[in-house]
């Protein structure tokens, strides 16, 4: 008997083996099934729901997949040999119930058990997104989700600039920018998407060039239009998140009302002088209903009482802070991570260096989001800021 | 009477002599706003209407809680409470 055969014979006495069908049943009861084959092998298909962890990283990263060393861990390779050897390694690092799938992937497939094709990234993408891939909360699947995601930004100005830059850098696959302005030199103090040579160009066009240069993976839809009641629903459709980075009240209410109507999350931000506020308005949030913009501010101020408009002063970095909080909430939304700013209003006072959060609740009488009665229609607020 | 701090937002500071916050004594959110109105009538106009109701584009928080979700202007204050006024702003 060769040394190899002797070793395998010894391991077969030591390591429990399960058939693919038994492995599937255990997996359905919560046990983790780990495919330890190489990326070349797994790129063609893996057992449905299996975790991918190449054998050379097994002991190093097993805890990401099986934090409890007492839990049942199922290992699968191509034929059931490497998984026996790997199971022995896991026993050595302290796992107590490691089983090898007899016959491996070949048998899994021949028994017509369910398969899936794992997501994969090209070599350039693996480099570009390596710091995301290193986060277990993002990883390959999260990055793939981002690359498939579609986000629309209303306003490519002070808030939209940092948000769009970072979302493009993060690999959000499609960014739609809606803005009808041209770049003015007075924008450059805070609108970091643009450079001095862009003055006079439509913002969406200059932004597309800049964002494509940053990340060619990202598709940029440049919409050089003013958002209004006739185009809002068509533009918002097919997006997962809307970012409100506009600079006037009528558009903010239009964004809110369309988001409520379409069930979309509205990642809101606004700034004035040295202060900013941000929240996520999403009455259609799956777990619990949360307020809309109108629950917080049922109506805009009349022109004579409106604090500042496009011409108001603002510290250049302030929309950077708020726009990046909006981008952060957007990534969390797309990846399903953490606690969102839904039901909270975050207020930032730069002069006092103070962030405060305030609780906000759905208004049971809100005409737009309370679910009572018909959609009241879009409002015609006077655009007193332009 | 309770000693409370009122925080004035940047958007309204020009109507409060440039002050970012001030301290006063009051029992409810409503009486705090009345005291504010005595000192700064122009500020008050922007927060409440002629009938004394909080305007639709302004929120008053006592600590983390919106008085709209509590007892409105009757919301009781405790010593050390922070009353924050947050109006809608549109800049982007
Ligand atoms: Zn509402």
């Amino acid at each position: 008997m060769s040394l190899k055969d002797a070793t395998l014979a010894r391991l077969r006495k030591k390591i429990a083996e399960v058939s693919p069908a038994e492995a599937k049943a255990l997996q359905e009861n919560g046990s983790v099934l780990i495919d330890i084959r190489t990326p070349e092998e797994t790129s063609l298909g893996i057992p449905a729901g299996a975790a991918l962890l190449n054998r050379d990283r097994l002991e190093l990263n097993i805890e990401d997949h099986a934090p409890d060393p007492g839990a049942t861990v199922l290992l699968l390779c191509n034929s059931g040999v490497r998984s026996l050897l790997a199971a022995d390694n896991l026993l050595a690092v302290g796992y107590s119930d490691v089983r090898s799938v007899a016959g491996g992937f070949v048998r899994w497939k021949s028994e017509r058990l369910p398969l899936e094709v794992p997501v994969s990234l090209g070599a350039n993408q693996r480099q570009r997104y390596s710091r995301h891939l290193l986060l277990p909360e993002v990883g390959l699947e999260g990055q793939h989700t981002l690359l498939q995601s579609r986000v629309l930004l209303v306003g490519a100005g002070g808030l939209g600039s940092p948000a769009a830059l970072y979302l493009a850098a993060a690999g959000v696959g499609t960014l739609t920018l809606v803005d009808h302005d041209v770049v003015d030199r007075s924008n450059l103090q805070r609108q970091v998407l643009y450079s001095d040579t862009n003055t006079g160009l439509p913002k969406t066009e200059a932004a597309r060039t800049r964002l494509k240069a940053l990340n060619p993976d990202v598709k940029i839809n440049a919409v050089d239009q003013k958002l209004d009641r006739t185009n809002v629903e068509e533009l918002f459709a097919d997006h997962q998140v809307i970012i409100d980075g506009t600079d006037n009240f009528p558009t903010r209410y239009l964004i809110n009302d369309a988001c409520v109507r379409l069930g979309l999350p509205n990642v809101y931000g606004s700034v004035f002088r040295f202060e900013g506020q941000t929240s996520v308005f999403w009455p259609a949030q799956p777990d619990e209903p949360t307020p809309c913009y109108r629950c917080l501010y049922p109506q805009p101020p009349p022109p004579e009482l409106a604090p500042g408009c496009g011409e108001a002063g603002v510290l250049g970095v302030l929309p950077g802070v708020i726009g990046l909080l909006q981008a952060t909430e957007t990534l969390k939304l797309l990846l399903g991570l953490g606690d969102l700013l839904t039901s909270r209003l975050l207020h930032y006072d730069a002069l006092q260096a103070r962030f405060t959060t305030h609780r906000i609740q759905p208004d049971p009488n809100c005409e737009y989001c309370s679910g009572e009665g018909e959609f009241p229609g879009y409002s015609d607020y006077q655009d007193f800021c332009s | 009477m309770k000693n409370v701090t009122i925080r004035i937002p940047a958007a309204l500071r020009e109507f409060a002599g440039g002050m970012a916050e001030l301290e006063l004594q009051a029992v409810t959110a409503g009486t705090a706003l009345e005291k504010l109105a005595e000192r700064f009538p122009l500020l008050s106009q922007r927060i409440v209407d002629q009938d004394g109701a909080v305007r639709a584009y302004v929120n008053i928080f006592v600590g983390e809680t919106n008085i709209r979700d509590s007892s409105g202007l009757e919301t009781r204050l405790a010593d050390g409470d922070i009353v924050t006024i947050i109006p809608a702003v549109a800049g982007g």
Side-chain angles (χ1 to χ4, degrees):
Chain A
M1 198 187 255
S2 76
L3 210 50
K4 183 189 103 180
D5 292 339
T7 304
L8 291 177
R10 180 175 58 77
L11 288 178
R12 286 210 163 88
K13 288 188 187 129
K14 181 178 173 189
I15 310 277
E17 287 187 289
V18 293
S19 72
E22 285 165 343
K24 180 169 171 290
L26 286 166
Q27 189 192 14
E28 281 161 3
N29 279 321
S31 298
V32 60
L33 172 64
I34 298 178
D35 189 326
I36 62 161
R37 293 176 300 152
T38 63
E40 291 72 37
E41 295 175 286
T42 56
S43 65
L44 300 172
I46 63 173
L52 283 181
L53 182 50
N54 187 218
R55 192 185 162 199
D56 63 4
R57 310 287 300 175
L58 187 62
E59 295 95 316
L60 295 175
N61 295 346
I62 180 65
E63 285 177 283
D64 294 342
H65 301 281
D68 172 12
T72 303
V73 177
L74 308 161
L75 299 183
L76 174 137
C77 66
N78 205 48
S79 67
V81 172
R82 277 175 293 167
S83 58
L84 268 181
L85 297 164
D88 198 33
N89 297 143
L90 279 192
L91 291 175
V93 299
Y95 282 79
S96 57
D97 182 10
V98 187
R99 307 183 198 181
S100 167
V101 179
F105 184 68
V106 171
R107 185 169 158 200
W108 182 286
K109 218 169 134 183
S110 73
E111 294 184 4
R112 299 186 176 272
L113 294 170
L115 302 174
E116 66 183 40
V117 177
V119 297
S120 64
L121 298 178
N124 282 345
Q125 290 180 319
R126 281 201 301 276
Q127 266 191 314
R128 175 181 290 273
Y129 305 118
S130 65
R131 297 305 188 276
H132 271 169
L133 302 179
L134 287 167
L135 291 171
E137 294 83 353
V138 182
L140 193 64
E141 289 206 5
Q143 190 60 53
H144 191 254
T145 299
L146 292 181
L147 285 163
Q148 304 295 317
S149 295
R150 301 172 55 90
V151 171
L152 182 141
L153 298 98
V154 186
L159 297 166
S161 283
L165 282 165
Y166 273 86
L167 292 176
V172 171
T174 302
L175 293 175
T176 301
L177 306 176
V178 185
D179 200 309
H180 193 39
D181 275 347
V182 294
V183 179
D184 184 88
R185 190 160 278 119
S186 70
N187 299 151
L188 302 176
Q189 161 256 23
R190 64 197 179 286
Q191 301 185 14
V192 294
L193 263 175
Y194 312 113
S195 50
D196 200 63
T197 52
N198 292 149
T199 52
L201 286 179
K203 281 187 177 176
T204 49
E205 184 190 320
R208 175 165 51 192
T209 307
R210 173 79 181 87
L211 295 167
K212 288 300 279 185
L214 172 61
N215 188 350
D217 279 353
V218 177
K219 178 167 189 276
I220 307 293
N221 297 320
V223 181
D224 186 7
Q225 291 174 27
K226 191 171 157 41
L227 192 74
D228 63 31
R229 61 164 69 201
T230 67
N231 62 11
V232 64
E233 290 190 11
E234 197 183 330
L235 286 170
F236 282 16
D238 299 329
H239 291 83
Q240 281 120 32
V241 180
I242 309 298
I243 297 182
D244 176 357
T246 185
D247 61 359
N248 63 83
F249 283 113
T251 308
R252 291 191 183 279
Y253 283 90
L254 181 66
I255 293 167
N256 178 72
D257 299 349
C259 281
V260 172
R261 188 168 203 200
L262 300 173
L264 292 169
N266 168 12
V267 181
Y268 154 83
S270 66
V271 293
F272 183 75
R273 293 188 184 169
F274 296 97
E275 288 182 8
Q277 38 186 280
T278 177
S279 186
V280 176
F281 298 114
W282 194 13
Q285 177 176 255
D287 335 333
E288 57 160 328
T290 64
C292 80
Y293 181 63
R294 282 184 188 269
C295 295
L296 185 64
Y297 301 117
Q299 282 169 31
E304 66 276 15
L305 296 182
C309 300
E311 296 295 300
V314 63
L315 189 70
V317 297
L318 190 76
V321 174
I322 300 297
L324 288 188
L325 288 170
Q326 291 178 275
T328 308
E329 290 304 300
T330 300
L331 292 180
K332 284 164 59 188
L333 260 163
L334 296 173
L335 293 167
L337 290 179
D339 294 322
L340 296 170
L341 263 180
T342 45
S343 298
R344 285 183 292 163
L345 177 68
L346 184 111
H347 182 259
Y348 173 54
D349 180 335
L351 291 182
Q352 314 281 330
R354 187 159 53 206
F355 285 93
T356 45
T357 52
H358 303 281
R359 287 200 305 273
I360 51 179
Q361 292 179 14
D363 176 354
N365 300 314
C366 178
E367 276 192 80
Y368 283 79
C369 77
S370 66
E372 305 293 324
E374 297 212 336
F375 181 70
Y378 294 110
S379 306
D380 272 315
Y381 296 120
Q382 190 191 342
D383 191 359
F384 41 77
C385 286
S386 58
Chain B
M1 287 293 181
K2 307 294 180 186
N3 294 299
V4 298
T5 302
I6 314 285
R7 285 196 181 147
I8 316 281
L12 299 179
R13 266 173 219 163
E14 60 182 295
F15 308 107
M19 282 205 276
E21 57 180 54
L22 57 98
E23 302 199 347
L24 50 76
Q25 292 192 314
V27 179
T28 62
T31 54
L33 292 182
E34 282 165 24
K35 293 223 170 163
L36 203 59
E38 286 165 21
R39 289 181 65 178
F40 305 111
L42 287 177
L43 172 66
S44 175
Q45 266 181 33
R46 281 164 170 78
I47 300 172
V48 295
D49 63 20
Q50 291 98 324
D51 304 324
V54 178
R55 293 189 182 276
Y57 44 88
V58 177
N59 287 277
I60 313 282
F61 295 91
V62 175
E64 279 209 328
T65 306
N66 196 330
I67 61 167
R68 227 188 266 161
D69 305 322
S70 181
S71 311
L73 292 170
E74 299 303 315
T75 302
R76 309 288 293 183
L77 300 176
D79 270 326
D81 270 346
I82 294 172
V83 179
T84 310
I85 301 161
I86 301 189
V89 295

